[in-house]
Amino acid sequence: MHDTTAMLIELGAIIFVLGLLGRIAGRVGFSPIPLYLLAGLAFGQGGILPLTASEEFVATGAEIGVILLLLMLGLEYSAPELVTTLQTQFPSGAVDFVLNAVPGAVAALLLGWGPVAAVALAGVTWISSSGVIAKVLGDLRRIGNRETPVVLGVLVLEDLAMAVYLPILTALLAGVSLAGGTVTLLISLGTVGAVLYVALRHGRLVSRAVSSDNAEMLLLVVLGLTLLVAGVAQQLQVSAAVGAFLVGIALSGEVAEGAHNLLAPLRDLFAAVFFVFFGLHTNPADIPPVLLPALGLAVVTALTKIATGYWAARRAGISAKGRWRAGGTLVARGEFSIVIAGLAVGVEPRIGPLATAYVLLLVILGPLTARWTEPLSRCLTRRPRRAVPDATAADPVEVARANG
């Protein structure tokens, strides 16, 4: 069969199945993300029906999916709101690092993998999945909730921290000199600072340059600009997701609203492809040997993420319900964890299967905790009602005493 024909058949089958799974999830009021991942496992290496012809296209689509998810989140907020969030949420970012990076580092040292692998596994357990959480917030219609800026503040701090963490990790893995690692770090920080400066000082000019009454032109310009900035950011050792998020921040007003409406269907398509891609590159046979340590690490860091979100939302004056929702939303790990594990496999091969099993557990658990943490906490903390005395059943002697 011709390669193009095979690719079209595979892509059509994947997208059709995703549509059916999304419809099933919608019928039962459930996020489709876990179903997308399971579909990826079924169609991936070691699965029931491996797909190969469409692999390269799916990989590219997955990258675009993450970029669009973060762009759409950025369109919801202005640059001043972002700066305010970063300033107010900085202590939450520090708590997030301590509570969630330390368990990974300790686990690697206990397993005897050495200090470099400990730094890598700390990153795997530290960083929440911006892609998964963005999808969950949209599915649960929580973009406008009071706790959502808190969640986004923690995520943005994590993504910006990657601009520091990834060059350091890469230098440690490669044994690069201190001078070489410092140059890479300075380039990363300079890139983030430059994009933030443009978003803050010249956001209106960017919006005016992008603006168009023609929907087709607006779509092409916004999408092209986003992919361009994301690619340049990644080339300069900064996350493509951070670049896309900052493009969304730079756009405002009618331009942001129009771009949001035009890009929403593309986001939904490519976001689904991202989650399938994640499953496609996971061999189910590699999971059972590392399932127990991955499960233990997943339980511990799910609880620490819930604690992180609860504490951050409490600082922001959010109600108890919002605190639990914020904590449950932050549980999912995903794209960054896999990237970090992929970098570290050369130093410690066992980190790959462990990280894959760990991320799979939390990327499935994450949408569940986002939905059910708050209702579950409400059930557990509900006070039993006091029994109300029945006047008709009162003791006659007590009534006589009361009447004198």
Side-chain angles (χ1 to χ4, degrees):
M1 188 183 297
H2 195 275
D3 289 344
T4 304
T5 304
M7 183 189 72
L8 291 174
I9 292 173
E10 289 186 3
L11 281 177
I14 291 172
I15 295 172
F16 179 72
V17 170
L18 292 179
L20 293 178
L21 293 176
R23 178 175 293 185
I24 293 171
R27 293 262 180 136
V28 298
F30 184 74
S31 172
I33 293 173
L35 299 182
Y36 293 161
L37 287 168
L38 294 175
L41 285 174
F43 290 132
Q45 50 183 312
I48 300 171
L49 184 63
L51 304 178
T52 56
S54 58
E55 183 176 359
E56 185 174 348
F57 182 91
V58 171
T60 303
E63 291 283 344
I64 295 173
V66 176
I67 288 169
L68 288 178
L69 282 168
L70 271 294
L71 169 66
M72 299 295 275
L73 274 181
L75 290 173
E76 298 288 341
Y77 299 94
S78 66
E81 288 173 339
L82 172 64
V83 172
T84 301
T85 299
L86 293 179
Q87 290 173 342
T88 56
Q89 293 300 320
F90 183 78
S92 302
V95 170
D96 178 34
F97 172 76
V98 172
L99 290 182
N100 297 287
V102 171
V106 171
L109 294 175
L110 291 176
L111 291 169
W113 291 356
V116 176
V119 173
L121 195 57
V124 171
T125 59
W126 171 24
I127 304 299
S128 296
S129 171
S130 299
V132 174
I133 292 171
K135 177 65 173 172
V136 168
L137 288 172
D139 289 343
L140 298 179
R141 299 179 180 178
R142 292 183 182 173
I143 294 295
N145 282 21
R146 283 196 63 204
E147 74 275 2
T148 298
V150 175
V151 173
L152 294 179
V154 173
L155 292 177
V156 171
L157 283 171
E158 288 180 350
D159 288 345
L160 293 177
M162 286 295 96
V164 178
Y165 171 82
L166 286 178
I168 293 175
L169 177 63
T170 303
L172 289 174
L173 294 172
V176 177
S177 65
L178 179 61
T182 302
V183 170
T184 303
L185 178 59
L186 290 175
I187 292 174
S188 301
L189 293 177
T191 303
V192 174
V195 176
L196 271 175
Y197 175 81
V198 171
L200 284 169
R201 299 292 184 182
H202 306 292
R204 291 183 179 179
L205 294 177
V206 174
S207 296
R208 190 179 305 167
V210 170
S211 178
S212 174
D213 294 331
N214 187 307
E216 179 183 352
M217 295 301 103
L218 180 62
L219 172 64
L220 292 174
V221 171
V222 172
L223 181 59
L225 177 64
T226 302
L227 294 177
L228 177 63
V229 173
V232 172
Q234 188 155 299
Q235 183 67 28
L236 295 174
Q237 306 299 321
V238 182
S239 164
V242 172
F245 182 83
L246 293 175
V247 170
I249 291 293
L251 302 178
S252 59
E254 294 181 0
V255 173
E257 184 178 351
H260 188 283
N261 295 334
L262 291 171
L263 289 167
L266 284 177
R267 174 203 58 189
D268 295 339
L269 170 62
F270 285 107
V273 171
F274 163 70
F275 297 115
V276 171
F277 174 77
F278 188 80
L280 285 173
H281 284 71
T282 302
N283 191 337
D286 294 336
I287 295 177
V290 295
L291 190 57
L292 191 59
L295 181 60
L297 198 56
V299 170
V300 170
T301 53
L303 295 175
T304 55
K305 273 293 181 183
I306 291 173
T308 298
Y310 187 95
W311 190 85
R314 183 180 179 182
R315 284 189 69 252
I318 308 298
S319 66
K321 292 181 180 180
R323 298 172 199 170
W324 287 114
R325 286 195 297 265
T329 302
L330 285 170
V331 166
R333 273 44 162 214
E335 57 277 6
F336 271 131
S337 299
I338 294 301
V339 169
I340 293 167
L343 292 173
V345 164
V347 173
E348 177 49 67
R350 291 171 292 182
I351 199 173
L354 175 64
T356 300
Y358 170 80
V359 171
L360 272 174
L361 287 169
L362 288 184
V363 84
I364 291 174
L365 182 64
L368 299 177
T369 58
R371 177 180 287 273
W372 297 110
T373 299
E374 184 264 321
L376 182 60
S377 68
R378 192 169 62 245
C379 291
L380 294 176
T381 58
R382 183 178 295 167
R383 296 179 181 178
R385 292 183 178 180
R386 294 183 179 181
V388 179
D390 187 353
T392 61
D395 186 348
V397 176
E398 294 297 329
V399 173
R401 288 178 180 176
N403 292 332

